[in-house]
Amino acid sequence: ITLQEYDYARESPSKLAASCLLLALTMKDLGGWTPTLEYYSGYSVQDLHPLVKRLNFLLTYQPRDKLNTVRSKYSHRVFFEVAKLAPMDMLKLEKTLTSC
């Protein structure tokens, strides 16, 4: 989704990937940002916090009439139906990120 959003072009690819991973871990309740992830990525939760919130906002308010083919593709079992996941509530996300 971020590939078509100009605002995300200025973000470093590694920070964007780390933020996406943190958001996915949080959305699926698979644990938080571990010291190992912090060490190998070079980013702390505090570094990623603003970008994770922006990504969740993008998921929440994306236009549904665009990217139907991509949404259909990632709604398939092969891709674990990730396009069907509901975005996190912003307050719950904030609470989870600040508790890490």
Side-chain angles (χ1 to χ4, degrees):
I1 294 172
T2 60
L3 290 175
Q4 296 189 347
E5 298 291 331
Y6 185 73
D7 292 339
Y8 293 90
R10 64 184 169 166
E11 299 292 344
S12 75
S14 63
K15 188 173 186 178
L16 188 57
S19 297
C20 289
L21 177 60
L22 178 55
L23 180 58
L25 290 171
T26 307
M27 287 174 76
K28 295 293 285 180
D29 198 26
L30 295 173
W33 199 246
T34 64
T36 304
L37 289 170
E38 184 173 338
Y39 176 79
Y40 284 107
S41 71
Y43 297 109
S44 67
V45 172
Q46 292 78 20
D47 297 334
L48 303 175
H49 191 155
L51 187 52
V52 170
K53 286 175 31 179
R54 284 178 47 216
L55 288 167
N56 192 61
F57 185 84
L58 181 64
L59 286 173
T60 304
Y61 296 105
Q62 66 177 320
R64 293 287 170 191
D65 58 337
K66 292 183 178 179
L67 304 175
N68 287 327
T69 304
V70 174
R71 188 171 293 104
S72 175
K73 175 181 178 179
Y74 288 98
S75 293
H76 195 272
R77 272 188 331 174
V78 172
F79 296 103
F80 302 101
E81 300 175 333
V82 295
K84 294 180 180 178
L85 290 175
M88 287 193 70
D89 176 66
M90 293 301 249
L91 293 175
K92 182 179 178 184
L93 178 63
E94 181 72 31
K95 182 181 174 187
T96 304
L97 290 175
T98 53
S99 68
C100 291

